[in-house]
Amino acid sequence: MSYGDGDSDDELFEKLEAELDQDGTFDYYKSQKIQELHSEIQRRNNLTNNLVFPESERQLLDRVSHSTSKYLVVFVNETFQSSIYLTHALKETIENSDGSYTVYIINAEKSPFLSTKLRIKTLPTIVAFVNGKRMGIKVGLDGLLNDRLDVSTVSPEKLASLCRQFFQGGRHRNEEDEDNNNDKDNDKD
């Protein structure tokens, strides 16, 4: 198709549009844009539906007591830098997740019963549950940082990997979990 010198800008755009319509270019870009929008909607839905900040221990217990799904309970102190950076990384992890689990982030001071029952001694602590059964625990940020000496480098990718470990059948334990089990053994004596 040739574009004449006498064509106005509008006529040129109409001809170009017709040409692009014929070869399917618009359909490709339209399909690509729809997919991008679908991904963005999924990320927003993940944040809305799968990231919860309970105001109280009662609110948390009400939500998880009848849960038959996968979830993390993350105990934090909102004034600790490590907790702040972990919360930001968890948001990104949830945004990009498949939406198959929920994360509850609660200030440990607002949940004394659970903190005691689960023997939370260090913050932040992540506890994973499937169908109400504890599947694992991650104490602190060791192994989740890109730079071991900088808490601002909490890696969403490493958090996603930890969640896969928790929820795909494998248990994740660390030294603190072993200490808790030893404490339980001592309690039986």
Side-chain angles (χ1 to χ4, degrees), residues 91-132:
K91 286 179 182 178
E92 188 174 332
T93 302
I94 290 297
E95 262 187 329
N96 296 312
S97 76
D98 62 3
S100 65
Y101 59 91
T102 302
V103 175
Y104 299 94
I105 300 176
I106 189 160
N107 189 335
E109 294 173 347
K110 294 180 181 177
S111 60
F113 171 76
L114 276 178
S115 295
T116 302
K117 179 146 178 73
L118 296 172
R119 299 177 185 243
I120 305 299
K121 299 175 187 174
T122 305
L123 298 176
T125 295
I126 302 169
V127 185
F129 295 88
V130 175
N131 299 327

Side-chain angles (χ1 to χ4, degrees), residues 99-167:
S100 65
Y101 59 91
T102 302
V103 175
Y104 299 94
I105 300 176
I106 189 160
N107 189 335
E109 294 173 347
K110 294 180 181 177
S111 60
F113 171 76
L114 276 178
S115 295
T116 302
K117 179 146 178 73
L118 296 172
R119 299 177 185 243
I120 305 299
K121 299 175 187 174
T122 305
L123 298 176
T125 295
I126 302 169
V127 185
F129 295 88
V130 175
N131 299 327
K133 180 180 175 190
R134 188 171 95 175
M135 296 304 293
I137 186 168
K138 176 69 177 146
V139 178
L141 299 178
D142 189 39
L144 298 177
L145 303 174
N146 288 327
D147 176 349
R148 335 176 311 179
L149 302 176
D150 184 359
V151 296
S152 70
T153 65
V154 177
S155 168
E157 294 81 17
K158 291 179 181 181
L159 278 168
S161 176
L162 178 67
C163 290
R164 282 190 298 275
Q165 281 181 315
F166 282 147
F167 297 132

